[in-house]
Amino acid sequence: MECFEVRTRSRNEFIDITETVRERLRAKGIRDGACLVYAPHTTAGITINENADPDVQRDLQAQLSRIAPQEGLYRHAEGNSDGHVKSSLVGASQLIPIEGGRLALGQWQAIYFCEFDGPRTRRVYLQWLAGV
Amino acid sequence: MECFEVRTRSRNEFIDITETVRERLRAKGIRDGACLVYAPHTTAGITINENADPDVQRDLQAQLSRIAPQEGLYRHAEGNSDGHVKSSLVGASQLIPIEGGRLALGQWQAIYFCEFDGPRTRRVYLQWLAGV
Amino acid sequence: MECFEVRTRSRNEFIDITETVRERLRAKGIRDGACLVYAPHTTAGITINENADPDVQRDLQAQLSRIAPQEGLYRHAEGNSDGHVKSSLVGASQLIPIEGGRLALGQWQAIYFCEFDGPRTRRVYLQWLAGV
């Protein structure tokens, strides 16, 4: 397993980590399998979405904040229940196929670290799984 | 990794791809591991849900369209931000255990390709992962 | 693949299954790879979230019930369409990295079985995947 840090600067922020995952894959040299991209946090997550128009990420963040508003009817006293909800909706991880030594992402797909209670220094785990 | 095409005919549509995945698994002959079913698109996804009553899929699609309405407060000019949001909520992939050469789906579970910006010709990737 | 049962006592309930997964991992003795925690049901799911403050789980359950209310505009006659929607939002499974023989969960992360149409006796599948 590998690990790298991500520094976020806002309460809600999506950070494109695709290039970092690609670099680690090249260094690792796996031909066939899958890459598990995992966020070991409960108010963050990993998602795959478009990297061409930055408005897509803004729309996604804004809609998630309508689905789980910061000022909702929550009991948890830390004021970040919205982040916990978003984390479970988006998911703690994504699994991307590897073929011929490359991430088999679609043309418009990028891997995003999703911050839902920043700014913070966060970690991302990469685990390489064997293909058959 | 393997790939197959899916043709969708509506803007929002769920297509049951379970049989195709089963056929590919039989051809591949894996006994123990998991199958990664992956959509390389940013306005589509993969989900697992009931295949007995078609109303379940209709209810799921309708509720997703309430959670992320087509006519929302979006900036992205292509008019498909709802599809991007749904894609991140449902997820780009599902991972299904394989045991004794068979998909370990529950009795009512089927694998659906979820179209959120159709009609289009889409692709599905299957990656086979090794068990221990 | 392994299997264990979970008994739920309410319509909506989150059950922390982290210790069971840890015990099975110790017995299995895998050093490096990942654990697929899979719910073979269409009105249940698996999520990863905080285990310190029980209010986090309550907030998460309550917000999911706002996103997919029990009394919504559904066609499916069994009255559990909300559970099917929640199942697709949270997801049927989670994949957790294993490193050095241990689950690489974050400090506050726990694995929850999510009941969305209980009370019932449910099953959880564990599939162990090989690292590279």
Side-chain angles (χ1 to χ4, degrees):
Chain A
M1 203 181 77
E2 299 181 38
C3 182
F4 63 89
E5 281 192 355
V6 173
R7 293 209 180 186
T8 62
R9 290 146 299 175
S10 312
R11 191 165 192 278
N12 287 283
E13 186 180 358
F14 281 25
I15 294 181
D16 186 340
I17 57 172
T18 316
E19 268 318 301
T20 306
V21 179
R22 281 208 179 101
E23 283 166 23
R24 299 293 182 112
L25 173 57
R26 277 191 290 264
K28 187 81 181 169
I30 294 165
R31 300 297 300 167
D32 199 62
C35 178
L36 172 58
V37 183
Y38 185 91
H41 306 287
T42 58
T43 52
I46 308 289
T47 200
I48 292 170
N49 220 305
E50 184 181 310
N51 68 343
D53 179 0
D55 278 343
V56 169
Q57 298 160 54
R58 281 187 217 115
D59 286 346
L60 180 48
Q61 284 179 49
Q63 195 63 21
L64 284 171
S65 293
R66 284 180 203 110
I67 296 168
Q70 187 174 352
E71 305 299 332
L73 297 166
Y74 305 120
R75 294 199 213 181
H76 181 51
E78 289 182 31
N80 60 0
S81 281
D82 57 324
H84 288 290
V85 175
K86 291 174 181 179
S87 178
S88 277
L89 290 177
V90 156
S93 72
Q94 295 293 327
L95 187 62
I96 300 118
I98 297 169
E99 186 184 51
R102 302 179 67 172
L103 291 176
L105 289 169
Q107 184 178 3
W108 307 107
Q109 287 184 320
I111 310 163
Y112 288 95
F113 179 88
C114 308
E115 174 63 82
F116 296 129
D117 190 31
R120 300 205 202 194
T121 299
R122 301 289 206 170
R123 281 170 300 152
V124 176
Y125 296 161
L126 300 182
Q127 179 63 297
W128 311 99
L129 300 177
V132 181
Chain B
M1 203 181 77
E2 299 181 38
C3 181
F4 63 90
E5 280 191 358
V6 173
R7 292 208 181 186
T8 62
R9 291 147 300 176
S10 312
R11 191 165 192 279
N12 287 283
E13 186 181 357
F14 281 25
I15 294 181
D16 186 339
I17 58 173
T18 315
E19 268 318 301
T20 306
V21 180
R22 280 206 179 102
E23 283 166 23
R24 299 294 182 112
L25 174 56
R26 277 191 290 264
K28 187 82 181 171
I30 294 165
R31 300 298 301 166
D32 199 61
C35 178
L36 172 58
V37 183
Y38 185 90
H41 305 287
T42 58
T43 53
I46 308 289
T47 199
I48 292 169
N49 220 304
E50 183 183 309
N51 69 343
D53 178 0
D55 278 344
V56 169
Q57 299 160 53
R58 282 187 216 114
D59 286 345
L60 179 49
Q61 284 179 49
Q63 195 62 22
L64 284 172
S65 293
R66 284 180 203 109
I67 295 167
Q70 187 174 353
E71 307 298 332
L73 297 166
Y74 306 120
R75 293 201 214 178
H76 181 50
E78 289 181 30
N80 60 0
S81 281
D82 58 324
H84 288 290
V85 175
K86 292 173 179 178
S87 178
S88 276
L89 290 176
V90 156
S93 72
Q94 296 291 328
L95 187 63
I96 300 117
I98 297 169
E99 186 186 50
R102 301 178 68 172
L103 291 177
L105 289 168
Q107 183 179 4
W108 307 107
Q109 286 184 321
I111 310 163
Y112 288 96
F113 179 87
C114 308
E115 174 64 81
F116 297 129
D117 190 32
R120 299 205 202 193
T121 300
R122 301 288 206 171
R123 283 169 299 152
V124 176
Y125 295 162
L126 300 182
Q127 178 64 294
W128 311 99
L129 300 178
V132 181
Chain C
M1 202 181 77
E2 300 180 38
C3 181
F4 61 90
E5 281 192 356
V6 173
R7 292 209 183 187
T8 62
R9 292 147 298 175
S10 312
R11 190 163 193 279
N12 287 283
E13 185 180 358
F14 281 25
I15 294 180
D16 187 339
I17 57 173
T18 315
E19 267 319 300
T20 307
V21 179
R22 281 208 178 100
E23 283 165 24
R24 299 295 181 111
L25 173 57
R26 278 191 290 264
K28 186 81 182 173
I30 294 165
R31 300 297 302 167
D32 198 61
C35 178
L36 172 59
V37 183
Y38 186 89
H41 306 287
T42 58
T43 53
I46 307 289
T47 199
I48 292 170
N49 220 305
E50 183 181 310
N51 68 342
D53 178 1
D55 279 343
V56 169
Q57 299 161 53
R58 280 188 218 115
D59 286 345
L60 179 49
Q61 284 179 49
Q63 194 63 22
L64 284 172
S65 293
R66 284 180 204 111
I67 295 168
Q70 187 174 354
E71 305 298 333
L73 297 166
Y74 306 120
R75 294 200 213 181
H76 182 50
E78 289 182 29
N80 60 0
S81 281
D82 58 324
H84 288 289
V85 175
K86 291 173 180 178
S87 177
S88 277
L89 290 177
V90 156
S93 72
Q94 296 292 328
L95 187 62
I96 300 117
I98 298 169
E99 186 185 51
R102 303 180 66 171
L103 291 177
L105 289 168
Q107 183 179 3
W108 307 107
Q109 287 184 320
I111 309 164
Y112 288 95
F113 179 87
C114 308
E115 174 63 82
F116 297 128
D117 189 33
R120 300 205 202 193
T121 299
R122 301 289 206 170
R123 283 170 298 152
V124 176
Y125 295 161
L126 300 182
Q127 179 63 295
W128 311 99
L129 299 178
V132 181

